[in-house]
Amino acid sequence: MNFAGTNRNQILALLLSILFLFAADARSAINGKIAFASDRDGNSEIYVMNADGTGQVRLTNNPGVDDFPAWSPDGKRLAFLSTSASGGYF
């Protein structure tokens, strides 16, 4: 990984995202909701659904890749790793 030209906040955000990755895989469930990444529309985006598979909702729509969703401990927020169209993480 090349961090040339990456500012301190971007590196911190990446490290925090990696910490979330250790706590959850590409599917993350809390409070009966499952967050997951899918490339069903040609690009990896973040979705949520009920535990029984119903009520699927797409949350992101970015030209870059969105992946590795993880719920916050209180289940109110969702963190995920995202790349810009140029390939950098944010």
Side-chain angles (χ1 to χ4, degrees):
M1 225 180 247
N2 182 2
F3 289 108
T6 305
N7 73 35
R8 186 175 182 195
N9 289 338
Q10 289 173 319
I11 292 172
L12 180 59
L14 177 60
L15 292 174
L16 289 173
S17 297
I18 291 169
L19 289 175
F20 275 112
L21 295 180
F22 285 111
D25 64 9
R27 295 165 299 171
S28 180
I30 196 165
N31 296 330
K33 294 284 186 181
I34 297 171
F36 62 99
S38 174
D39 63 357
R40 67 180 74 179
D41 296 323
N43 183 37
S44 185
E45 301 292 348
I46 304 298
Y47 295 79
V48 294
M49 68 179 175
N50 298 320
D52 65 1
T54 62
Q56 293 186 15
V57 176
R58 182 176 174 175
L59 299 181
T60 61
N61 186 15
N62 299 314
V65 174
D66 297 326
D67 211 351
F68 304 108
W71 291 105
S72 63
D74 64 5
K76 294 180 179 180
R77 296 184 181 169
L78 189 63
F80 59 93
L81 188 60
S82 186
T83 64
S84 65
S86 65
Y89 290 98
F90 65 95

